[in-house]
């Protein structure tokens, strides 16, 4: 299905080059970069899942980090009790996140706009404080995971490069799933409902079911990202589902380009590269101020909101079009 | 006489103290174009929303093809064969004209929990949608975003979407609203071609269109039907003339 002419599109070129470079990272990069790359990939998976409901479905979920947390805690808690098989841990992580998403979705679908945002935020805060209250699993301090998920000797996630490639392949899989999903009949209904829900209902679509299904699928997808994140950091804590993490996910999706396939990847790369470069930059100008990197990141985001409404994806597309005046 | 396709019996809708639909009873027979006229605020659009299940009714019954649909949700009514167009254009603006109609077609091909095959390459959706677009003269505009269509074209798309599911009863809420005389004439000609083939409840302000198209006319004033009959009867009805046709058509 690959069209050679598509290669002339800078968006396709950039994405292809990024992906090729990404495959090769463990061959030439040091430990830090490989870990850094894994982190970006995991957050990309989480952002893809948010993009399904936010970008394609128009549902501004301000509690998406909760599924990251649930996925992570599922792995952490099972590991704590000596259940280390990834074949068990990861499906449980996805299932638990999906169930929570189903419950949150079923209740919040009754509302729209700001109320939807507030309800999803409230449920995420609830889960956050449940995490804080789980004294048996470290409460506020979190829990160290001593053994990464095991896959019957097929994969050793302890190996940095193996872990990186595992994340990478999963990301490609999630991209492909998302690609099929949004083009399918289901995806058309989801996007139609974002565009004009009243009309979609009048056409005979019970849209809430479709939106709720998307919400649940996104929860499961993000649960997988959570399971990966717990393995990457060997640690879980309530911080991974703090509301600021939900905010970061929205920022990544918006920065990359809502409702575009590869937007979440662009957004995650930009977000983490900026974080890692702005911190030392500020520290260099004013020692000790590095943690306030968002002081510079904020205005950048405002610029994107004002001048690049479609995010980075639209910038690449604009570069692709010949200029006329 | 055969059973009417749609039988409305004692239908009521209240908004606080205001009665928008006041104990309304009305029949639509299979194959007829039944026009619903009445001054602004008579409750015509409210009635359409009640028929489609977008607004719950406070009392009364709606019977469609012998089945009580008063409490059915919208999608079940669409499944039974009802479809509507909107007075205020309501299309999917960031979808192409073809996508809009293809979605309307899709709504009638069972559930959409189909996650894998690309819908935009599905000829089961595209082919019938294109046929309908061509019927409405929008064939050449199939790949244009709905937002970029002219107002008149959007009105045509509105009708195309309502027709796409091959409905047994078409509720047209002012299809000519806001159209220029040429566009109106074309729309009337199009609806004329549907006459006898489709059952239509037509809400329209344009009296020339109504009298040209309707087999029967019901006059709605303050949510109640004050008269129902053939166009000639309605024209002659003194109560109707007083309530509605009064000033405009007194000299006709």
């Amino acid at each position: 299905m690959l069209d050679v002419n598509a290669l002339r599109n800078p968006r396709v070129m950039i994405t292809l080059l990024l992906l090729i470079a990404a495959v090769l990272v463990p061959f030439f990069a040091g430990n830090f970069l490989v870990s850094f790359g894994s982190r970006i990939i995991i957050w990309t998976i989480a952002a893809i899942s948010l993009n399904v409901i936010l970008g394609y479905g128009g549902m501004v979920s301000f509690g998406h980090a909760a599924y990251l947390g649930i996925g992570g805690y599922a792995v952490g808690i099972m590991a704590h009790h000596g259940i280390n098989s990834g074949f068990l841990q990861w499906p449980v992580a996805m299932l638990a996140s999906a169930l929570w998403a189903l419950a949150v979705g079923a209740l919040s679908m009754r509302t729209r706009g700001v109320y939807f945002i507030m309800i999803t935020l409230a449920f995420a805060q609830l889960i956050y404080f449940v995490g804080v209250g789980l004294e048996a699993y470290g409460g506020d301090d979190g829990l160290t995971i001593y053994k990464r998920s095991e896959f019957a000797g097929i994969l050793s996630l302890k190996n940095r490069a193996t872990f990186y490639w595992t994340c990478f392949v999963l990301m490609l899989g999630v991209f492909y799933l998302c690609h099929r999903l949004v083009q399918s009949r289901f995806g058309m209904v989801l996007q139609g409902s974002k565009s004009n829900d009243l009309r979609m209902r009048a056409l005979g679509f019970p849209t809430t079911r479709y939106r709720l299904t998307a919400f649940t699928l996104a929860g499961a997808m993000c649960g997988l990202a959570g399971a990966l994140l717990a393995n990457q950091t060997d640690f879980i804590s309530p911080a991974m589902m703090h509301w600021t993490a939900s905010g970061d996910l929205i920022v990544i999706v918006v920065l990359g380009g809502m409702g575009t396939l590869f937007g979440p990847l662009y957004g995650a790369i930009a977000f983490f590269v900026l974080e890692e470069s702005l911190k030392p930059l500020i520290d260099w100008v004013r020692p000790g101020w590095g943690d306030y990197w968002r002081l510079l990141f904020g205005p950048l985001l405002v610029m994107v909101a004002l001048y690049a409404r479609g995010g980075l994806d639209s910038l690449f597309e604009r570069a692709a079009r010949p200029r006329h005046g | 006489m055969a059973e009417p396709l749609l039988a409305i019996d004692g239908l009521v809708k209240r908004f606080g103290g205001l009665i928008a639909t006041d104990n309304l009873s009305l029949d639509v027979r299979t194959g007829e174009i039944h026009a619903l006229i009445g001054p602004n605020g008579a409750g015509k659009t409210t009635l359409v929303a009640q028929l489609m299940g977008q607004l719950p009714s406070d009392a009364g019954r709606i019977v469609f093809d012998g089945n009580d649909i008063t409490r059915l949700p919208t999608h079940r009514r669409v499944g039974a064969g009802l479809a509507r167009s909107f007075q205020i254009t309501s299309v999917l603006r960031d979808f192409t004209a073809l996508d809009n109609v293809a979605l309307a077609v899709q709504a009638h091909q069972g559930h959409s929990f189909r996650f894998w095959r690309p819908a935009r390459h599905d000829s089961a959706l595209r082919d019938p949608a294109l046929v309908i677009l061509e019927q409405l003269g929008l064939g050449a505009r199939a790949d244009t975003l709905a937002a970029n269509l002219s107002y008149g074209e959007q009105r045509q798309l509105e009708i195309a979407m309502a027709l796409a599911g091959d409905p047994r009863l078409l509720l047209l809420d002012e299809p000519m609203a806001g159209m220029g005389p040429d566009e109106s004439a074309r729309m009337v000609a199009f609806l004329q071609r549907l006459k006898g083939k489709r059952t239509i409840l037509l809400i329209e302000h344009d009296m020339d269109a109504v009298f040209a198209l309707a087999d029967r006319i019901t006059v709605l004033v303050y949510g109640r039907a004050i008269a129902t009959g053939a166009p000639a009867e309605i024209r002659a009805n003194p109560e109707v003339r007083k309530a509605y046709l009064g000033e405009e058509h007194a000299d006709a």
Side-chain angles (χ1 to χ4, degrees):
Chain A
M1 288 286 272
L2 189 68
D3 183 359
V4 182
N5 272 323
L7 292 177
R8 290 201 199 142
N9 181 336
R11 234 187 334 179
V12 176
M13 271 309 281
I14 288 170
T15 310
L16 261 180
L17 288 177
L18 272 177
L19 292 178
I20 292 168
V23 177
L24 302 175
V25 160
F27 289 118
F28 61 80
N31 284 347
F32 170 78
L33 265 185
V34 176
S35 292
F36 183 59
S38 306
R39 186 149 65 109
I40 290 178
I41 290 171
I42 292 167
W43 279 79
T44 300
I45 295 174
I48 296 170
S49 76
L50 178 61
N51 191 32
V52 168
I53 54 173
L54 171 63
Y56 293 101
M59 292 172 263
V60 186
S61 164
F62 197 3
H64 212 62
Y67 312 110
L68 216 50
I70 293 171
Y73 268 76
V75 169
I77 290 172
M78 288 172 84
H80 187 70
H81 294 289
I83 305 168
N84 293 310
S85 167
F87 291 123
L88 208 58
Q89 284 179 346
W90 293 14
V92 167
M94 293 177 72
L95 193 67
S97 299
L99 285 176
W100 180 246
L102 181 65
V104 171
L107 289 165
S108 50
M109 288 298 154
R110 297 159 188 271
T111 64
R112 294 273 147 153
V114 176
Y115 300 100
F116 185 87
I117 299 175
M118 295 314 288
I119 286 191
T120 50
L121 172 63
F123 277 114
Q125 287 298 90
L126 189 133
I127 280 288
Y128 171 79
F129 284 110
V130 167
V132 171
L134 283 177
E135 291 299 338
Y137 304 109
D140 212 3
D141 298 328
L143 182 71
T144 301
I145 299 172
Y146 294 100
K147 256 189 168 171
R148 287 193 175 178
S149 303
E150 286 167 353
F151 286 89
I154 304 167
L155 280 175
S156 169
L157 298 187
K158 270 178 286 181
N159 181 299
R160 229 177 271 270
T162 308
F163 182 72
Y164 176 91
W165 279 318
T166 304
C167 294
F168 184 78
V169 168
L170 284 172
M171 178 188 75
L172 289 186
V174 171
F175 264 130
Y176 186 62
L177 276 180
C178 175
H179 169 69
R180 297 300 299 223
L181 186 79
V182 299
Q183 311 246 2
S184 69
R185 290 189 177 208
F186 177 84
M188 293 300 283
V189 176
L190 185 64
Q191 292 169 80
S193 161
K194 177 196 176 190
S195 177
N196 186 345
D197 193 60
L198 176 75
R199 184 57 189 240
M200 289 296 284
R201 285 170 184 275
L203 284 180
F205 292 107
T207 53
T208 304
R209 292 175 200 179
Y210 295 101
R211 296 167 74 236
L212 183 56
T213 304
F215 201 84
T216 307
L217 285 173
M221 236 186 253
C222 197
L224 175 66
L228 292 171
L229 196 61
N231 273 289
Q232 199 241 341
T233 52
D234 301 307
F235 180 70
I236 50 166
S237 83
M240 65 199 287
M241 43 188 171
H242 195 248
W243 68 269
T244 52
S246 295
D248 287 345
L249 275 171
I250 293 181
V251 165
I252 288 171
V253 171
V254 173
L255 184 65
M258 278 190 288
T260 64
L261 183 60
F262 290 110
L265 177 65
Y266 308 148
I269 293 174
F271 183 87
F272 288 105
V273 168
L274 280 171
E275 178 181 7
E276 289 302 325
S277 50
L278 287 179
K279 270 183 187 171
L281 181 75
I282 297 178
D283 258 333
W284 176 64
V285 176
R286 226 187 143 105
W289 279 53
D291 281 342
Y292 302 114
W293 63 281
R294 280 165 202 272
L295 279 176
L296 288 186
F297 185 70
L300 259 171
L301 212 58
V302 173
M303 301 277 280
V304 169
L306 286 178
Y307 299 111
R309 292 294 289 274
L312 293 170
D313 182 85
S314 77
L315 288 184
F316 297 150
E317 195 190 56
R318 237 179 276 176
R321 274 199 307 256
R323 265 162 228 274
H324 296 292
Chain B
M1 173 160 297
E3 278 279 299
L5 182 60
L6 177 76
I8 302 168
D9 183 24
L11 203 64
V12 175
K13 180 69 204 175
R14 292 187 203 90
F15 294 108
L18 181 85
I19 299 185
T21 306
D22 188 2
N23 201 16
L24 177 70
S25 297
L26 177 72
D27 283 351
V28 179
R29 297 174 192 150
T30 304
E32 74 171 342
I33 296 186
H34 192 132
L36 193 61
I37 63 173
N40 285 324
K44 303 185 294 288
T45 297
T46 301
L47 176 63
V48 173
Q50 282 177 278
L51 292 178
M52 288 302 291
Q54 292 160 321
L55 275 178
S57 299
D58 295 317
R61 254 158 59 93
I62 305 168
V63 177
F64 183 70
D65 196 24
N67 301 310
D68 188 337
I69 60 164
T70 319
R71 305 269 164 252
L72 285 189
T74 304
H75 68 272
R76 300 269 308 272
R77 298 185 196 211
V78 172
L82 279 140
R84 74 167 290 185
S85 74
F86 287 80
Q87 177 188 357
I88 298 163
T89 307
S90 178
V91 295
L92 309 172
R93 295 177 57 80
D94 34 24
F95 283 61
T96 65
L98 184 57
D99 282 343
N100 269 276
V101 184
L103 264 169
V105 173
Q106 184 182 324
H108 291 269
Q109 294 185 357
H111 67 78
S112 287
F113 288 103
R114 300 181 192 181
F115 303 95
W116 205 247
R117 283 183 50 206
R120 284 198 172 95
H121 301 295
D122 191 340
S123 54
L125 298 175
R126 308 308 265 187
D127 294 351
L130 205 53
V131 169
I132 292 159
L133 275 181
E134 263 153 18
Q135 277 173 17
L136 278 134
L138 286 173
R141 306 287 272 158
D143 295 322
T144 307
L145 280 189
N148 295 337
L149 295 174
S150 74
Y151 178 79
E153 288 170 334
Q154 288 188 15
R155 297 300 301 163
Q156 289 166 321
L157 181 58
E158 183 71 49
I159 307 298
M161 291 168 77
L163 270 173
D166 197 16
R168 300 175 61 203
L169 174 62
L170 194 53
L171 311 174
L172 297 181
D173 194 353
E174 295 198 29
M176 268 72 90
M179 278 187 167
D182 290 354
E183 290 170 331
S184 278
R186 247 180 294 147
M187 185 62 84
V188 171
F190 176 77
L191 295 177
Q192 201 92 55
R193 289 206 295 279
L194 297 183
K195 199 168 162 134
K197 291 181 215 147
R198 297 215 173 256
T199 311
I200 298 175
L201 183 63
L202 172 71
I203 293 173
E204 190 47 64
H205 269 303
D206 182 337
M207 285 305 129
D208 295 334
V210 166
F211 282 101
L213 289 167
D215 298 302
R216 288 197 301 157
I217 299 174
T218 293
V219 184
L220 206 61
V221 177
Y222 295 119
R224 37 180 36 190
I226 62 165
T228 296
E233 295 170 63
I234 294 298
R235 226 191 275 264
N237 186 318
E239 210 181 333
V240 174
R241 295 177 77 101
K242 195 176 86 198
Y244 184 47
L245 296 175
E247 305 89 60
E248 273 180 65
H249 281 247
D251 53 348

